[in-house]
Each structure stands twice: as structure tokens, then as C-alpha cells.
Amino acid sequence: MSLRIFVPYETTALSLGAEDVATLIRREADARGLDIELVRNGSRGLCWLEPLVEVDDGRGRRAFGPVAPEDVASLFEHGFGDDHPLAQGPTEEIPYLKRQQRVTFARIGVTDPVSLADYRALGGFDGLEKAVHRTPQQLVDMVKASGLRGRGGAAFPTGIKWQTVLDAKGAQKYIVCNADEGDSGTFADRLVMESDPYMLIEGMIIAGLAVGATQGYIYLREEYPLAHELLNIAIERARAAGYLGQDILGCGRAFELEVRLGAGAYICGEETSLLESLEGKRGMVRAKPPLPAIVGLFGQPTVVNNVLSFAAVPSILSEGPEHYASFGVDRSKGTLPFQLAGNLKRGGLVELAFGHRLRELIEDFGGGTESGRPVRAVQVGGPLGAYLAPEQFDTPLDYEAFAAIGAVLGHGGVVVFDESVNMAEQARFSMEFCVEESCGKCTPCRIGAVRGVEVIDRIVANDQREANLALLEELCDTMMQGSLCAMGGMTPFPVKSALQYFPEDFHRQGGEG
């Protein structure tokens, strides 16, 4: 029997030497006269074990990692046996993976990302095949019943957004995927596009059928060249197989899809700024109303959802909305892929149902800090998310619970800091980030962030500290209440949380630590 060896073709693994590992595996097998099938799969999201090499000799897949090029020869010498120092046992039994609740990410890392046969063999396009036999309203009702909310950060109910676009009048309707994944510590969108691109494509086609849209665009951040390459291959193969085009699976309805690249502006993660950029304009925020669902791309009704929102749709159609809604708590239904980054021993992607605790992510999955020092702060939800202190680590991971403590789940990014972090510096970084990334359209964001950096500098230098602390609080309130979008409106979240939970860092004399 031929030995099947899986080596990821995915950005994290490639950055850690996966291409050299794959080349050496092929070379070593040839030198030994061994018959192997080398499969370039996606990544399972266990970043701490990349490159994660898997081997299937007919007894199921077993994992080895992290594998460096110099480890390849010894893997063959040990016959890829469990006695090798890098052996992790059966892949599905790795505790980090086994304890997850993978719904959207069930296929991630298992298959060749651009193989249609692999995708279909594991239930791919089952949802679309059911969707073509349902009316648009039935499709929208299924998404409503699932409880799916936008996974890009705002958590708006996806079915209600789709209903608005379905009901809107327009000569042309559009489906737009926000793949401009710019939050610090996030990579779930990239993993979908690099490891299971047909899932995103299928979700967007179903969305088009649901609202009567015939054209879709994936707005992809320029910094994801591998995702761009794989998406274009997958789109072409899906079109050739009849999943895209003028007659989807013979149902008489049309949907086309293409990828458009952004130019590195964080603000284009905001939906109206993204639409401006798609239209060829400078990415600047639009005032709302009107909502994009009514007046969106080129002035037409438009669904704008995140990669993870669209990626959840195929399983809702194939397994039924009740199955998806059976995960989670209260109004936070389904699962969310949390992305663990920062000072952690085991960074990676962890998909769990809403309702688990932040402490579980940090300690049980992340394994604590890489430095071995105590965790001092965790930022959840990207650079605009609040910094959480240890006493908040038992907060349930659901939208309402986080809102109750002035925090956000956002896109599920989790960045961990140990006790060496200076939270006054982190607060300053938040304001400075807004200075760099603001589109400049509204005064509270454009000017407020500049003044915020200056005020924090005066506080740290002990220049009229108490007066400037009061001024910083007022400035944050002005930005939160007066900014046109979340860029300026949420920049105060990390600043205010740093002031509240780590006040001692703002009272150091200038030049200290």
C-alpha cells in the first residue's frame, strides 16, 4: 500500500519551512525506493506544531510536528513510527484538536484545498444542492432560524441582513465578502481561504440564491497572496464544474464570483469603506443611513458579510438550522473560531461553541505564556478591543457577556501579554494605530486620536498628570459618541480598559520601565 504523506501548503507552515520539508520528503522517498503519495493539504490550525506532517499507512492519519527539514531523514529511519520524538499520535486524538467543536472548520487541514473531489467527498456542496430546490425566502428563513450572527465583529443577525436585501428593490444585487482580515492576532479568514476555499465559495453562492444577487466579490487583503492564488484556482474549477455561471447546477439561476485585492488600508474592513474601495474610490466611511443592504455597491442592494459568516452557511443548509443553533448560548448561537496569539506556548485556531470561558482558551488550549511569567492582560477582538484583566478571564465567550463588561469578541482574536507589558504603552499604541489608520472623514477620529497620543505622553511624563487623566477620559467619551464608525468609536475601548484595570502603569515617572 502506498504511504500517503500530508504536508501543509499554507502560509504559517510555509513560513516555518514546510516547502523544504515537502521537497526533502519526496527526495528521501525516491532515494529509498519508497512509493509515497505526497498530498499538500491545508493547515489544521495548530500553529505551534507547524509544519505538521501527517502520515496515513491505511491505519488512519498520524501526526508529527513541528517538523524541520533536518528531521525528515529520521522520520523515514523510524518508519514514521510512534517512537519518533516528534510523534503526536493519531491526529484527531491530539488534545488541542480533540477538545474543539469543529463545525465550520471540520474540513480544515484534512484535504487538498483546491481538490473538488476532496471537498465533495466530505460533504462539500451538499448545502448548495439543497439550496437550489428552495425559494429565496426559505433560504433566508433557514439562516434566521440558525441564529447566525455576523462574524466580522458587529455580530448583526445575518438572516435579518439577508431579508433586507431580499426585500429591497434593485436592478442588480451584490454579494460582497469582507476578507480584509486586519485585526491583530487574527488568521481564521485566511485559514478558510487557504485550506477550504470551496466552503466560502459555496456560502456566497447560497447567499446569492437567497437574496437574488447574481454577482459576488471577495475583497481580499493584499497581504494574502497564497489565499489569492488558491481562491482563483478554486473559483475557476467551481465554474468549470457548473457551480458558478449562468445556470448553477441546472437550476436556471446565475451567480458569478471574482476576487478583488485591497491596498492595505485597515479602515476598509469597515463595510462602507470597503464598498467605496470596490468602486475604485478612496476607502472612506459612508454615513449611514442608507444601509448597504439597501444602497450598497454601485448604489444597489448589497449583502456584506465576513468570510466566517459565509463559511458557516453551507453546514446550516446541509445539516439544518437546528443543528447549528444547538451550539452556543442565549443569542450567541453556533461556534466561533478563536485565534490564539501573543505570548502563548500553543498558539493556533480553536473552534468552540459560544459559552466557554476565556480562561479555558488561555490555560487549557494556550498552555499559559511562552515566557513562563503570569498572564497580565489579554486583548480580545483586535486592536480596538478592550484589554481584559485576570479577574475577567471567567467571562463567558458570548457577545452579550462581553458587551456587559465593556469588551467585544469581534473576529475572535485573542492576544496574550505577560506581566512585563506596560499598559500605558499599549494604550498609546491604540491611539497611534487610529492616527495611522483613520480614513480622516470625521473630526473625533481624525483629530481625537492625535490628541490622544499627546495626552498619554503627558500623563506618562507626569506633566499635570491628574488633569490630563481627566482630559483623556473626556476625549475617549467624545470619540466614542461622535465618531462616524467603529474606528474612532472603539479606539477608546482599549484605552479606557487600560486606565481602569492597570492604572499603576500611568503613574510611573517619565523614563521609567
Side-chain angles (χ1 to χ4, degrees):
M1 178 179 290
S2 174
L3 196 67
R4 299 187 80 204
I5 302 179
F6 300 80
V7 181
Y9 186 67
E10 174 270 343
T11 295
T12 300
L14 291 172
S15 71
L16 294 168
E19 197 60 42
D20 288 341
V21 169
T23 299
L24 289 171
I25 285 175
R26 169 60 67 191
R27 188 177 299 165
E28 191 73 23
D30 289 346
R32 293 170 179 264
L34 296 176
D35 178 23
I36 70 165
E37 179 188 354
L38 184 61
V39 181
R40 304 307 301 274
N41 58 317
S43 169
R44 302 235 189 199
L46 281 63
C47 299
W48 55 286
L49 282 177
E50 294 293 2
L52 181 69
V53 172
E54 296 179 69
V55 176
D56 187 354
D57 59 3
R59 298 176 296 164
R61 286 163 70 159
R62 291 172 293 112
F64 300 83
V67 177
E70 56 268 25
D71 298 318
V72 171
S74 68
L75 286 172
F76 279 90
E77 289 165 6
H78 283 74
F80 290 93
D82 293 336
D83 60 336
H84 192 279
L86 299 181
Q88 302 292 331
T91 310
E92 301 289 344
E93 295 298 316
I94 297 174
Y96 194 96
L97 190 59
K98 188 175 182 179
R99 294 186 58 212
Q100 297 186 36
Q101 294 158 296
R102 291 209 162 185
V103 178
T104 302
F105 282 70
R107 278 181 302 265
I108 294 289
V110 177
T111 64
D112 172 350
V114 291
S115 167
L116 268 173
D118 281 4
Y119 185 65
R120 285 190 291 235
L122 293 177
F125 289 117
D126 285 358
L128 178 59
E129 287 170 2
K130 292 182 179 180
V132 297
H133 299 294
R134 288 178 167 83
T135 67
Q137 187 61 61
Q138 287 173 330
L139 295 176
V140 171
D141 287 344
M142 291 182 75
V143 174
K144 284 182 185 176
S146 74
L148 177 65
R149 293 164 70 174
R151 298 294 188 245
F156 187 81
T158 303
I160 294 192
K161 180 181 287 189
W162 289 18
Q163 185 71 64
T164 305
V165 177
L166 174 60
D167 294 342
K169 305 298 181 185
Q172 172 71 55
K173 297 180 181 180
Y174 295 100
I175 304 296
V176 174
C177 176
N178 182 350
D180 193 56
E181 185 174 49
D183 283 353
S184 49
T186 60
F187 48 89
D189 289 357
R190 178 180 60 74
L191 269 182
V192 167
M193 294 182 287
E194 292 181 357
S195 301
D196 200 4
Y198 291 113
M199 177 171 58
L200 172 58
I201 293 167
E202 183 181 1
M204 293 184 71
I205 299 169
I206 293 170
L209 296 176
V211 303
T214 57
Q215 178 65 51
Y217 296 99
I218 299 173
Y219 186 89
L220 178 67
R221 67 176 300 185
E222 187 181 35
E223 296 88 341
Y224 283 175
L226 183 60
H228 190 203
E229 170 196 330
L230 295 175
L231 280 170
N232 281 333
I233 293 171
I235 287 170
E236 285 306 312
R237 291 183 180 180
R239 183 179 293 113
Y243 295 109
L244 289 168
Q246 296 304 304
D247 187 17
I248 300 165
L249 294 179
C251 75
R253 287 181 278 178
F255 190 76
E256 274 296 350
L257 182 60
E258 62 181 271
V259 181
R260 295 287 179 88
L261 288 180
Y266 180 80
I267 194 62
C268 287
E270 193 278 335
E271 62 179 3
T272 64
S273 183
L274 183 156
L275 294 176
E276 289 285 291
S277 179
L278 261 181
E279 292 178 2
K281 305 170 188 173
R282 179 181 174 185
M284 297 185 74
V285 174
R286 297 177 184 175
K288 293 184 284 189
L291 297 170
I294 298 169
V295 181
L297 186 63
F298 303 117
Q300 300 299 316
T302 304
V303 168
V304 184
N305 277 133
N306 169 265
V307 170
L308 300 179
S309 305
F310 287 121
V313 170
S315 69
I316 290 171
L317 267 291
S318 63
E319 302 294 331
E322 299 80 9
H323 177 262
Y324 192 80
S326 69
F327 295 91
V329 292
D330 300 325
R331 291 178 55 212
S332 298
K333 299 297 186 184
T335 63
L336 185 65
F338 297 95
Q339 300 121 90
L340 309 188
N343 194 333
L344 275 176
K345 289 180 181 175
R346 297 192 293 266
L349 181 132
V350 177
E351 185 178 8
L352 292 173
F354 290 99
H356 288 261
R357 309 282 167 160
L358 179 60
R359 188 179 304 278
E360 185 179 350
L361 286 176
I362 299 166
E363 297 176 0
D364 296 349
F365 285 96
T369 64
E370 176 66 24
S371 65
R373 295 173 171 175
V375 176
R376 188 174 187 219
V378 176
Q379 188 175 37
V380 181
L384 308 182
Y387 290 104
L388 303 182
E391 58 263 35
Q392 297 170 296
F393 291 174
D394 288 315
T395 303
L397 294 164
D398 79 74
Y399 294 120
E400 279 63 48
F402 264 60
I405 62 169
V408 293
L409 278 181
H411 189 52
V414 177
V415 181
V416 175
F417 301 84
D418 73 9
E419 63 182 3
S420 66
V421 68
N422 183 323
M423 295 307 296
E425 291 180 358
Q426 291 302 121
R428 186 186 191 280
F429 169 79
S430 299
M431 284 291 187
E432 192 173 36
F433 182 81
C434 188
V435 172
E436 293 295 322
E437 298 295 344
S438 172
C439 77
K441 189 164 186 176
C442 70
T443 302
C445 178
R446 181 182 70 249
I447 302 299
V450 175
R451 299 288 87 87
V453 172
E454 296 169 354
V455 172
I456 291 173
D457 284 344
R458 291 199 295 269
I459 291 169
V460 172
N462 200 17
D463 179 1
Q464 301 181 63
R465 178 172 284 154
E466 294 307 316
N468 278 301
L469 281 167
L471 181 59
L472 183 59
E473 290 280 3
E474 291 181 11
L475 177 62
C476 285
D477 290 342
T478 299
M479 291 178 69
M480 289 172 68
Q481 300 299 322
S483 296
L484 193 56
C485 81
M487 183 77 239
M490 289 180 63
T491 290
F493 281 29
V495 179
K496 288 173 74 72
S497 62
L499 284 167
Q500 180 177 356
Y501 295 105
F502 310 96
E504 62 275 16
D505 288 14
F506 294 85
H507 288 80
R508 300 179 183 183
Q509 294 296 320
E512 291 184 4

